[in-house]
Amino acid sequence: MRILLVEDDESVAKALEKVLTDERYTVDVAEDGQAGWHLVNAYDYDLVVLDVVLPKLDGLELCQRLRKHSYTMPVLLLT
């Protein structure tokens, strides 16, 4: 299972990445919404873990953009 983690807080991102990789998930990390959008267009993800407050493109806007472009993977929003 491949997961995209979009989180701008480095300590939170590292902690979540470690927990997920310890459970044998493949995890890609983006530090802002725009980088997350580029990764979604480059790779197939089974899940997106998405912070709500992000630079460049916030989490809600990114989620709306995903749905508008017919991406159907589950999205877990972090607040």
Side-chain angles (χ1 to χ4, degrees), residues 11-42:
S11 61
V12 172
K14 284 186 178 187
L16 288 171
E17 181 181 21
K18 177 165 181 14
V19 168
L20 293 168
T21 56
D22 285 352
E23 293 296 323
R24 309 246 187 244
Y25 295 109
T26 301
V27 180
D28 295 328
V29 179
E31 296 179 356
D32 61 65
Q34 193 64 41
W37 175 247
H38 290 300
L39 285 171
V40 164
N41 286 294

Side-chain angles (χ1 to χ4, degrees):
M1 179 178 226
R2 188 172 196 145
I3 298 173
L4 173 60
L5 171 61
V6 187
E7 172 60 66
D8 62 327
D9 184 318
E10 185 178 347
S11 61
V12 172
K14 284 186 178 187
L16 288 171
E17 181 181 21
K18 177 165 181 14
V19 168
L20 293 168
T21 56
D22 285 352
E23 293 296 323
R24 309 246 187 244
Y25 295 109
T26 301
V27 180
D28 295 328
V29 179
E31 296 179 356
D32 61 65
Q34 193 64 41
W37 175 247
H38 290 300
L39 285 171
V40 164
N41 286 294
Y43 302 101
D44 291 325
Y45 291 102
D46 300 295
L47 171 68
V48 177
V49 179
L50 183 58
D51 187 11
V52 172
V53 180
L54 293 167
K56 299 185 182 178
L57 180 67
D58 75 39
L60 294 176
E61 290 175 299
L62 177 54
C63 187
Q64 290 170 342
R65 186 181 286 185
L66 290 170
R67 296 306 184 230
K68 181 178 178 182
H69 287 85
S70 300
Y71 286 101
T72 60
M73 78 284 279
V75 175
L76 176 65
L77 294 170
L78 300 177
T79 59

